[in-house]
């Protein structure tokens, strides 16, 4: 898990020091959440309060009310989403595949327990069925209770919430296919519950056969920053290239993650949509207005910097259970 510490800090915020006694004149008491991003790099932010901490069968979970980012959901010591900027992550994950599909009606979500991915999918007028499959019932119930922004999504009759392993659920639905499958899984961390759902065998034997003709798969693919993209982003991209004909990587900066984040979209049908066509489909299909994503923005997030482009092109590693890569950190079952 990340760490929580309390300190006395000067009002101007220049210095901080540990203190268990009342702060001296000119200082204020503040609690901080600290997440270890790498061995020698930590990211911390001030807290208003700790709303919940606990442990499920699969994961450690916490909900904080933070000063810079509002409510923040943390699982296995990794920030999953924050109130003020989660729309960047979820709009980038959901809208590109649904807008590239000519008429998406059925969608399967792997993971997505907090409900934000379902919320964005259900904005699409064409969609008449969403299956959200998350392995951790306690996380889903916790998010239903605390993340009221997604209450309408959880109550939407088009949404069917299933508590199961996503691989098992897809394999059990042998006769059912989906127009879009969304991988909103926890990051592949050592000892975590999800890394096997980033493998070539899973994409090849489980995901691809459950897509309709022209169906699209999308997955979150971990950090994609100038230094962090080689952790898992490039090999997830290369792994999907072994399975699908057309693969599109893209990335956007998310302030609360303190990094650029990556997604990869894949299909056996061409993934081509101009800015103007995407904007028109948003207007025709999507209820309300996106905060972040439109045609121009998607053009921007698919234009990656030279370092990341070259790394994607040069990547040869294929993600398997025996050759898995992980982002920094450890899951509950590896502690």
């Amino acid at each position: 898990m990340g760490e929580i510490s309390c300190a006395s800090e000067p009002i101007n915020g220049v210095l901080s020091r540990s203190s268990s006694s009342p702060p001296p004149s000119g200082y204020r008491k503040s609690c901080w959440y600290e997440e270890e991003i790498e061995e020698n790099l930590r990211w911390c932010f001030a807290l208003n309060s700790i709303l919940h901490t606990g442990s499920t069968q699969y994961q450690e979970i916490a909900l904080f009310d933070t000063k810079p980012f509002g409510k923040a959901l943390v699982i296995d010591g990794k920030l999953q989403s924050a109130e003020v900027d989660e729309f960047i992550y979820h709009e980038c994950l959901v809208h590109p595949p649904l807008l590239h599909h000519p008429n998406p009606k059925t969608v399967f979500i792997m993971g997505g327990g907090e409900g934000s991915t379902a919320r964005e999918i259900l904005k699409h007028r064409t969609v008449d069925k969403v299956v959200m499959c998350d392995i951790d019932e306690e996380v889903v119930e916790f998010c239903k209770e605390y993340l009221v922004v997604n209450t309408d999504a959880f109550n939407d009759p088009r949404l069917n919430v299933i508590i199961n392993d996503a691989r098992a659920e897809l394999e059990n639905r042998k006769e059912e296919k989906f127009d879009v499958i969304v991988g909103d899984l926890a990051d592949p961390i050592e000892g975590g519950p999800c890394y096997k759902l980033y493998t070539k065998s899973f994409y090849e034997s489980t995901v691809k056969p459950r897509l309709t003709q022209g169906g699209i798969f999308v997955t979150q693919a971990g950090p994609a920053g100038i230094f962090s993209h080689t952790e898992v982003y490039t090999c997830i991209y290369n792994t999907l290239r072994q399975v699908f004909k057309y693969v599109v990587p893209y990335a956007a900066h998310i302030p609360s993650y303190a990094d650029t984040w990556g997604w990869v979209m894949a299909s056996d049908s061409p993934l081509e949509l101009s800015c103007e066509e995407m904007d028109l489909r948003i207007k025709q299909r999507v209820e309300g207005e996106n905060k972040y994503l439109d045609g121009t923005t998607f053009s921007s997030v698919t234009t990656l910097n030279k370092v990341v482009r070259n790394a994607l092109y040069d990547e040869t590693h294929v993600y398997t259970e025996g050759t898995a890569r992980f982002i920094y950190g450890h899951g509950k079952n590896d502690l």
Side-chain angles (χ1 to χ4, degrees):
M1 280 288 289
E3 298 178 359
I4 300 169
S5 61
C6 292
S8 296
E9 59 177 16
I11 299 302
N12 63 16
V14 175
L15 300 171
S16 65
R17 66 181 183 85
S18 298
S19 174
S20 57
S21 58
S25 177
Y27 282 69
R28 62 188 174 195
K29 193 69 175 289
S30 182
C31 286
W32 292 76
Y33 171 74
E34 186 177 89
E35 180 176 317
E36 192 165 357
I37 298 174
E38 299 175 7
E39 186 175 358
N40 298 310
L41 179 63
R42 295 188 175 192
W43 167 236
C44 60
F45 39 84
L47 303 180
N48 290 315
S49 62
I50 300 167
L51 299 175
H52 177 86
T53 60
S55 179
T56 75
Q57 177 183 350
Y58 302 99
Q59 301 160 120
E60 304 286 346
I61 182 172
L63 184 68
F64 303 127
D65 180 10
T66 76
K67 291 184 178 180
F69 303 120
K71 289 181 182 178
L73 178 67
V74 176
I75 293 180
D76 281 338
K78 295 290 184 181
L79 180 70
Q80 301 299 302
S81 71
E83 189 175 14
V84 302
D85 64 4
E86 57 88 4
F87 65 90
I88 303 173
Y89 172 93
H90 291 104
E91 288 187 16
C92 285
L93 176 69
V94 166
H95 296 299
L98 268 75
L99 292 168
H100 277 79
H101 194 283
N103 188 27
K105 292 183 176 295
T106 57
V107 183
F108 188 96
I109 307 169
M110 303 189 301
E114 71 177 87
S116 299
T117 295
R119 179 196 70 215
E120 293 301 316
I121 292 169
L122 291 164
K123 291 179 180 178
H124 285 253
R125 298 184 181 98
T126 62
V127 170
D128 55 31
K129 179 181 180 180
V130 181
V131 176
M132 186 186 93
C133 181
D134 197 287
I135 197 171
D136 201 329
E137 185 172 16
E138 291 180 62
V139 168
V140 174
E141 293 303 318
F142 172 83
C143 292
K144 283 183 180 179
E145 179 179 354
Y146 285 98
L147 303 182
V148 295
V149 69
N150 296 328
T151 297
D152 288 347
F154 278 117
N155 291 331
D156 194 302
R158 293 174 292 169
L159 178 65
N160 181 19
V161 178
I162 302 291
I163 304 302
N164 197 3
D165 174 75
R167 180 201 292 265
E169 187 64 26
L170 282 170
E171 290 175 351
N172 288 341
R173 294 171 177 257
K174 296 185 184 298
E175 304 304 318
E176 191 170 3
K177 292 181 182 288
F178 298 88
D179 296 321
V180 177
I181 296 178
V182 179
D184 186 20
L185 300 163
D187 300 321
I189 59 176
E190 200 163 359
C194 295
Y195 76 93
K196 295 179 182 179
L197 305 188
Y198 291 92
T199 60
K200 179 176 183 282
S201 63
F202 175 66
Y203 294 148
E204 202 166 43
S205 63
T206 304
V207 171
K208 189 173 180 179
R210 300 301 179 274
L211 287 170
T212 57
Q213 182 72 29
I216 300 173
F217 173 66
V218 69
T219 183
Q220 78 91 4
I226 199 78
F227 299 121
S228 59
H229 63 276
T230 55
E231 290 183 3
V232 295
Y233 182 55
T234 56
C235 70
I236 290 172
Y237 165 75
N238 187 57
T239 301
L240 285 167
R241 286 181 65 199
Q242 315 306 308
V243 179
F244 292 93
K245 291 181 181 178
Y246 303 94
V247 182
V248 177
Y250 54 105
H253 178 69
I254 300 179
S256 62
Y257 289 2
D259 206 347
T260 300
W261 211 254
W263 302 266
V264 183
M265 182 169 57
S267 179
D268 277 345
S269 295
L271 295 167
E272 298 174 353
L273 201 64
S274 70
C275 294
E276 294 75 18
E277 289 171 321
M278 180 171 280
D279 286 338
L280 179 60
R281 288 187 177 184
I282 290 172
K283 184 177 179 179
Q284 292 173 336
R285 298 184 187 181
V286 180
E287 295 281 356
E289 186 172 347
N290 289 342
K291 292 182 180 179
Y292 182 79
L293 193 96
D294 61 7
T296 301
T297 303
F298 186 69
S299 175
S300 171
V301 299
T302 55
T303 305
L304 302 172
N305 67 67
K306 181 179 179 180
V307 171
V308 175
R309 287 199 317 271
N310 286 345
L312 289 167
Y313 179 79
D314 292 338
E315 182 64 80
T316 59
H317 189 91
V318 175
Y319 205 107
T320 69
E321 290 188 23
T323 62
R325 287 184 182 176
F326 305 102
I327 69 167
Y328 187 81
H330 295 276
K332 177 182 177 182
N333 295 325
D334 194 50
L335 296 176

